[in-house]
Amino acid sequence: MIYKGSNIVNKIGNGNRIYLGNRLIYQLLQQPVEYQLPDIPFFFNFNAKNYADGVIPNTEGSIFGEDLIFNNVDGLDVYDDHLIFNDSCSFSKIYDSESKNPLNRSYGEPLTIIAKVRNPNNDELHLLANRSSDYNWMFRIYGAAWLHTSEGVMTDCPNVPLDSSQPNIVAIRCLTDGTGYGYNYTTGEQGETMGVNYGGESDGFAIFGGYADTEAGETFIGGEFYWIYVSTEQLTDEQILQVITYNENGKFTPPSVDDGGDDDIVI
């Protein structure tokens, strides 16, 4: 016989609960489901859910391999899943030479940027810039998300409108045929496909700023940041959705609970 204290276990099944009379005294939660990024090289993936003490850790397996360490944390309002920028707070990386910067792109080289952001006031926000003394490209958040290339006008660059009333999940995808376009996964709107003409090579990049070597007034002040993923590969639609699912859910979903059924263990 099996006992719980002086009580006999009178039913053992395949469920995940144990009852003492009508009282639930043990419940085994189902194992959580683990989400993964696509099996494709990515430069970095930063999620505000993981922010702590001025740092957003990079996702394991990234090419960049460094964490995002803010140069100023006093201007950040920290929430469970996002950061609000009330002051200039950025991160920058400068390489020994332009040739060592993996983010440099030339004509026909792919680039995929996926991010979740909100621009409540339609300000000129500067989320990611591959620029120092020269610039290769910049990912800007205005009334639209757009990739500023050697073409300095938003309407001449891959872009997609944003809805300022809510966080937007957007992607800019630059393809091997030399074209690119933006897509807003929150509103379902796709931007026009157009040519991508990258600028000159840069020896550094900045996140939440417009330059790697100086702030120069280009910041993310007024913006809300949730997460960003960057790959120098051309992701498929399915892979982009996988990135979104990973970042929206974290590595694990909340564990679900069996409804008991006939297989619960009764004591």
Side-chain angles (χ1 to χ4, degrees):
M1 287 188 167
I2 300 175
Y3 289 84
K4 173 65 176 177
S6 60
N7 300 285
I8 298 173
V9 176
N10 54 38
K11 182 179 180 183
I12 300 177
N14 297 320
N16 64 358
R17 293 178 179 179
I18 298 176
Y19 289 86
L20 180 57
N22 293 323
R23 183 164 60 91
L24 176 66
I25 62 171
Y26 174 78
Q27 177 173 294
L28 174 65
L29 296 178
Q30 295 178 357
Q31 291 296 315
V33 177
E34 185 174 3
Y35 292 99
Q36 299 285 347
L37 288 174
D39 185 16
I40 189 170
F42 67 100
F43 189 68
F44 60 62
N45 187 80
F46 293 120
N47 195 315
K49 293 177 184 177
N50 302 319
Y51 172 88
D53 301 322
V55 178
I56 302 178
N58 203 345
T59 301
E60 184 177 356
S62 73
I63 292 172
F64 182 50
E66 296 183 25
D67 296 335
L68 193 165
I69 303 174
F70 287 93
N71 63 3
N72 170 33
V73 297
D74 293 336
L76 294 176
D77 288 343
V78 181
Y79 296 85
D80 288 341
D81 64 349
H82 68 283
L83 303 173
I84 293 180
F85 287 66
N86 297 310
D87 199 354
S88 178
C89 311
S90 63
F91 167 87
S92 62
K93 173 71 175 182
I94 297 180
Y95 294 90
D96 293 338
S97 66
E98 295 171 350
S99 63
K100 292 185 178 180
N101 180 0
L103 284 181
N104 283 323
R105 306 278 86 195
S106 58
Y107 183 82
E109 290 187 321
L111 176 68
T112 304
I113 304 172
I114 315 166
K116 183 178 182 180
V117 293
R118 184 180 175 220
N119 186 0
N121 301 312
N122 286 324
D123 294 328
E124 295 186 358
L125 305 181
H126 308 276
L127 182 52
L128 175 61
N130 190 36
R131 175 169 70 168
S132 55
S133 56
D134 202 351
Y135 75 86
N136 194 234
W137 53 264
M138 287 82 74
F139 181 52
R140 303 192 185 280
I141 306 296
Y142 292 8
W146 64 293
L147 191 75
H148 183 161
T149 61
S150 62
E151 304 291 342
V153 180
M154 183 175 67
T155 54
D156 294 335
C157 302
N159 71 87
V160 65
L162 298 176
D163 177 1
S164 63
S165 70
Q166 62 181 323
N168 291 240
I169 297 174
V170 295
I172 296 290
R173 189 165 15 175
C174 302
L175 314 178
T176 56
D177 66 359
T179 67
Y181 63 92
Y183 192 90
N184 188 324
Y185 286 83
T186 300
T187 65
E189 186 169 359
Q190 180 170 319
E192 179 184 352
T193 298
M194 58 188 63
V196 178
N197 300 299
Y198 299 107
E201 290 191 341
S202 170
D203 63 0
F205 69 91
I207 307 175
F208 308 117
Y211 301 81
D213 52 354
T214 179
E215 292 192 355
E218 295 194 355
T219 72
F220 199 71
I221 296 173
E224 298 178 11
F225 169 75
Y226 292 77
W227 53 262
I228 185 171
Y229 168 98
V230 174
S231 174
T232 54
E233 303 289 334
Q234 179 177 311
L235 271 68
T236 65
D237 294 337
E238 181 181 20
Q239 288 167 335
I240 289 179
L241 291 175
Q242 191 175 346
V243 171
I244 294 171
T245 300
Y246 175 86
N247 279 293
E248 286 294 279
N249 292 278
K251 286 190 176 181
F252 298 101
T253 56
S256 60
V257 176
D258 193 295
D259 63 2
D262 294 332
D263 291 326
D264 291 331
I265 300 173
V266 179
I267 297 175

